[in-house]
Amino acid sequence: MKNDFRKMEDEMDRLATNMAVITDFSARISATLQDRHERITKLAGVHALLRKLQFLFELPSRLTKCVELGAYGQAVRYQGRAQAVLQQYQHLPSFRAIQDDCQVITARLAQQLRQRFREGGSGAPEQAECVELLLALGEPAEELCEEFLAHARGRLEEELRSLEAELGPSPPAPDVLEFTDHGGSGFVGGLCQVAAAYQELFAAQGPAGAEKLAAFARELGSRYFALVERRLAQEQGGGDNSLLVRALDRFHRRLRAPGALLAAAGLADAATEIVERVARERLGHHLQGLRAAFLGCLTDVRQALAAPRVAGKEGPGLAELLANVASSILSHIKASLAAVHLFTAKEVSFSNKPYFRGEFCSQGVREGLIVGFIRSMCQTAQSFCDSPGEKGGATPPALLLLLSRLCLDYETATISYILTLTDEQFLVQDQSPVTPVSTLCAEARETARRLLTHYVKVQGLVISQMLRKSVETRDWLSTLEPRNVRAVMKRVVEDTTAIDVQVGLLYEEGVRKAQSSDSSKRTFSVYSSSRQQGRYAPSYTPSAPMDTNLLSNIQKLFSERIDVFSPVEFNKVSVLTGIIKISLKTLLECVRLRTFGRFGLQQVQVDCHFLQLYLWRFVADEELVHLLLDEVVASAALRCPDPVPMEPSVVEVICERG
């Protein structure tokens, strides 16, 4: 730059000189051409006016040619450009003639446009174009509005008939996703085009026109919704929700556009209500499915319990059956939760609606589905406690025992696990009150208690029936001297042992009182003690019945009262104690209704001693068995004209031999 700076300055000076020369030259040229420029401007204005006049004079022929070629839009534009001028200069004869010719041509143009519009063969854009041209030609807007909606109704009703044909009985209905796609692209898409065109064409109609369009959309929309609901109702029997949720998502998405265009028609709200109603129906369907699965599990248990045992091959035990039922129910619950969870997935368009963020989760899934099923399961289980008949109807006692353990397991762990799982999957944003876990657990525990109590009654009545028939069908006055324990007593011991094994499969042992060292011998001390001697002393003969009854009643005052139907605890000892109390109490009441001979009394003595040998080990307190059996023998002695008891050593020999 140091070297070339002086050179650059010289060049800039020359450039400034040249620019001054050019400016001066340009000013001289402009001054010279000023007059010519004004004349040229005037000539250009005259030329433009002549062109406009030429356009006006050529307008009838132009319009005729456009109508013949079908260029209706061009014709309307020509008419629009010239109409203001013709109106302004219609008092001049030449312009009036042009205007008359144009009116004849535009009338014919309007007639052709109306004919094309009424034929309705073209699509919605072409129909809208016809209406737009007719409005530009000055046709009455209200009349065109009615005709536009009438033609649109015809096209949309054709779409509705097509959808209805898919629901007919003859052809197989397409899957629900395909059906909603068809309705969305056909009817909903057409309705959007109609609404957009109507609002663009008839915006000048104001609120009255908007209400007319809203009523039109509301009427046809309700018919479309009815068809959709019919198709969705056919889907309620299926178990998979994925396809249904996708269909509902597309149905809901498609109605966003018309819902925004036609807010007054309430289409978007109606679509949301349909989705919510389908979701509620699906919850009901899954609840029925869980109930059916539970009943199916019970049927499987019944069949397993009733199946004959093949020699050398044991069937599934109660513990295995219980585990199968529990795992099957839990898997069905998890499957149902996974199925209904699809309604709240983030990618689903309606999942952000208030219903699916609140009420659906809390009242629908948690309360309606899960809590509803648990309560239904408890009610179904309790219904087995109301079985008619003396022996509990056709309900297997093992099923009562299994259900009681199942409900107890639900109370201790399963209910808490299921509800925690539900709350984690469905983040509840609803403040509605829900059932506490403690309440459900209390209901399950009460159900388990009722079932176990009913099991005790059923098993006690089965053994009681055997004992009652054995007492009522025997002639105790003329019986022979006892040589053996009666077979029914052996059967009672066998059945009690089997029940003990059965209960032990599902329940813990329980707490017993400390057993005495002579538990198997106490019967002899009871039946042959000083109390026994006094009771069977010769002074207590039939000649002095009042004294005997008095002594017996006084003894009862000081003996411990036995509550036969006391509450049953959840352990094996309590269950067996309840069954044995019912059985021995029945034996006692049956003995009180009979009269015994000497050998009859001795047979009762032998039978009771045999029961004492085996039953004491099943109960919580052996004194219970002693008291009841002592009472049985005492009652038989009171009803014996010749009460001579058998020697304890002989009783022992007979029982050991038996």
Side-chain angles (χ1 to χ4, degrees):
M1 290 182 66
K2 287 181 180 179
N3 296 332
D4 297 338
F5 182 75
R6 194 168 292 175
K7 183 179 180 181
M8 287 175 59
E9 187 175 359
D10 295 340
E11 289 179 356
M12 290 299 293
D13 291 340
R14 284 197 298 273
L15 178 62
T17 304
N18 291 336
M19 289 297 295
V21 172
I22 291 170
T23 302
D24 181 59
F25 186 68
S26 176
R28 288 200 300 272
I29 291 175
S30 297
T32 304
L33 297 178
Q34 180 67 32
D35 295 337
R36 293 184 182 181
H37 177 70
E38 292 177 355
R39 288 198 297 273
I40 290 171
T41 302
K42 290 179 181 179
L43 290 173
V46 171
H47 181 262
L49 180 60
L50 290 174
R51 287 186 62 186
K52 289 180 181 179
L53 290 173
Q54 183 182 4
F55 175 79
L56 288 176
F57 286 114
E58 293 177 355
L59 181 60
S61 61
R62 286 173 181 263
L63 291 178
T64 303
K65 188 174 182 181
C66 286
V67 171
E68 290 175 353
L69 295 175
Y72 302 123
Q74 186 68 37
V76 171
R77 284 192 292 274
Y78 285 159
Q79 173 67 15
R81 285 173 58 186
Q83 188 170 2
V85 176
L86 292 174
Q87 285 288 114
Q88 184 178 358
Y89 297 104
Q90 61 181 344
H91 59 281
L92 300 175
S94 58
F95 285 94
R96 181 57 182 254
I98 295 173
Q99 186 181 25
D100 292 342
D101 292 343
C102 290
Q103 285 178 348
V104 173
I105 298 171
T106 53
R108 189 166 71 250
L109 171 62
Q111 185 178 0
Q112 291 186 13
L113 285 174
R114 279 188 175 276
Q115 182 65 28
R116 182 183 178 189
F117 176 63
R118 287 168 182 161
E119 287 174 356
S122 54
E126 291 79 3
Q127 295 270 308
E129 182 185 2
C130 289
V131 173
E132 185 179 6
L133 295 177
L134 287 170
L135 287 172
L137 290 174
E139 294 294 314
E142 186 173 351
E143 182 181 341
L144 288 174
C145 170
E146 295 291 342
E147 289 190 21
F148 179 80
L149 290 181
H151 285 85
R153 180 186 297 275
R155 293 196 307 274
L156 294 177
E157 284 181 342
E158 184 64 30
E159 293 290 344
L160 292 177
R161 283 192 291 272
S162 174
L163 289 175
E164 191 169 12
E166 293 182 2
L167 297 176
S170 311
D175 65 58
V176 65
L177 187 61
E178 183 180 343
F179 182 86
T180 52
D181 278 344
H182 182 187
S185 59
F187 174 82
V188 179
L191 184 61
C192 286
Q193 289 181 352
V194 169
Y198 182 95
Q199 291 176 347
E200 183 178 351
L201 294 172
F202 304 106
Q205 293 290 303
E211 177 54 34
K212 189 179 295 185
L213 177 62
F216 169 83
R218 199 179 300 119
E219 178 194 351
L220 291 176
S222 63
R223 292 170 57 184
Y224 171 64
F225 291 150
L227 293 174
V228 171
E229 288 196 271
R230 278 177 55 190
R231 181 61 188 87
L232 292 174
Q234 298 176 9
E235 207 69 18
Q236 292 303 306
D240 183 17
N241 282 352
S242 57
L243 192 65
L244 177 64
V245 171
R246 287 173 59 198
L248 290 173
D249 180 39
R250 293 194 186 178
F251 165 72
H252 189 267
R253 286 179 190 274
R254 282 284 190 176
L255 282 159
R256 282 180 174 176
L261 283 172
L262 302 165
L267 298 179
D269 293 339
T272 303
E273 288 177 6
I274 290 176
V275 174
E276 292 175 2
R277 189 156 53 248
V278 171
R280 281 190 287 267
E281 290 173 355
R282 291 305 294 174
L283 288 174
H285 169 75
H286 283 288
L287 177 58
Q288 293 299 325
L290 289 177
R291 289 172 175 169
F294 178 59
L295 293 177
C297 290
L298 297 187
T299 302
D300 294 341
V301 171
R302 282 175 175 268
Q303 292 176 350
L305 294 175
R309 296 289 182 261
V310 182
K313 184 179 180 182
E314 286 294 329
L318 279 182
E320 183 180 350
L321 290 175
L322 175 64
N324 292 340
V325 170
S327 63
S328 176
I329 294 173
L330 191 59
S331 64
H332 278 92
I333 290 175
K334 289 181 177 179
S336 296
L337 287 176
V340 298
H341 190 261
L342 295 173
F343 285 95
T344 61
K346 291 182 179 179
E347 63 272 11
V348 176
S349 61
F350 51 78
S351 63
N352 60 347
K353 295 294 180 182
Y355 171 75
F356 288 99
R357 295 174 68 87
E359 183 183 347
F360 176 80
C361 298
S362 64
Q363 301 303 312
V365 177
R366 191 187 192 279
E367 294 297 300
L369 181 61
I370 302 304
V371 175
F373 168 68
I374 293 173
R375 283 182 165 156
S376 172
M377 186 180 73
C378 291
Q379 290 170 3
T380 302
Q382 287 192 28
S383 66
F384 291 108
C385 299
D386 305 325
S387 302
E390 190 175 5
K391 294 184 180 180
T395 305
L399 180 61
L400 297 172
L401 188 66
L402 184 145
L403 287 175
S404 71
R405 184 69 219 195
L406 178 67
C407 292
L408 187 63
D409 289 343
Y410 265 68
E411 184 263 339
T412 54
T414 310
I415 289 177
S416 177
Y417 170 73
I418 292 174
L419 290 182
T420 302
L421 183 67
T422 304
D423 293 338
E424 288 176 353
Q425 289 189 19
F426 298 86
L427 300 175
V428 179
Q429 299 182 5
D430 188 21
Q431 301 302 320
S432 303
V434 294
T435 306
V437 176
S438 58
T439 302
L440 272 185
C441 290
E443 293 177 11
R445 187 175 185 84
E446 176 61 18
T447 302
R449 187 195 62 77
R450 285 193 60 186
L451 286 163
L452 197 59
T453 301
H454 191 61
Y455 173 81
V456 170
K457 290 180 180 179
V458 169
Q459 294 288 46
L461 287 174
V462 170
I463 297 177
S464 297
Q465 275 292 94
M466 291 191 298
L467 292 172
R468 189 181 69 181
K469 289 181 179 179
S470 72
V471 173
E472 292 177 350
T473 57
R474 190 178 184 91
D475 185 2
W476 292 98
L477 285 172
S478 57
T479 187
L480 299 176
E481 183 177 1
R483 289 290 181 265
N484 291 296
V485 178
R486 288 190 300 146
V488 67
M489 299 302 165
K490 299 177 183 178
R491 177 69 184 275
V492 168
V493 172
E494 291 173 358
D495 287 0
T496 305
T497 304
I499 294 171
D500 179 73
V501 173
Q502 187 180 71
V503 177
L505 294 173
L506 299 180
Y507 282 100
E508 293 74 19
E509 182 70 21
V511 180
R512 301 176 186 270
K513 288 188 178 180
Q515 308 293 338
S516 62
S517 58
D518 60 343
S519 297
S520 61
K521 304 291 185 181
R522 285 193 59 179
T523 304
F524 299 113
S525 63
V526 171
Y527 296 151
S528 58
S529 65
S530 57
R531 293 170 50 202
Q532 187 95 17
Q533 294 294 337
R535 189 176 302 165
Y536 303 142
S539 61
Y540 303 128
T541 59
S543 62
M546 293 301 295
D547 295 338
T548 305
N549 290 336
L550 180 61
L551 185 63
S552 175
N553 290 333
I554 291 173
Q555 182 183 352
K556 287 179 183 178
L557 290 175
F558 293 97
S559 63
E560 182 180 353
R561 182 179 178 275
I562 298 174
D563 185 4
V564 177
F565 295 103
S566 59
V568 181
E569 301 296 330
F570 295 106
N571 58 70
K572 184 174 71 169
V573 171
S574 178
V575 172
L576 269 295
T577 300
I579 294 172
I580 290 173
K581 281 195 296 186
I582 293 174
S583 305
L584 296 185
K585 186 65 175 177
T586 302
L587 177 61
L588 174 60
E589 297 303 323
C590 292
V591 166
R592 286 176 176 170
L593 298 177
R594 309 294 293 177
T595 304
F596 297 86
R598 177 190 299 178
F599 295 141
L601 171 61
Q602 293 178 2
Q603 183 66 59
V604 171
Q605 185 182 358
V606 170
D607 291 344
C608 288
H609 179 61
F610 181 80
L611 292 178
Q612 171 58 35
L613 285 174
Y614 294 98
L615 296 185
W616 67 270
R617 58 175 59 89
F618 297 119
V619 297
D621 185 4
E622 63 186 74
E623 284 296 329
L624 176 76
V625 177
H626 300 327
L627 291 172
L628 284 171
L629 292 176
D630 190 25
E631 193 70 23
V632 170
V633 177
S635 296
L638 288 175
R639 286 152 184 80
C640 178
D642 184 18
V644 178
M646 182 176 284
E647 288 295 325
S649 58
V650 179
V651 173
E652 183 179 357
V653 170
I654 293 175
C655 290
E656 288 179 355
R657 188 175 59 199

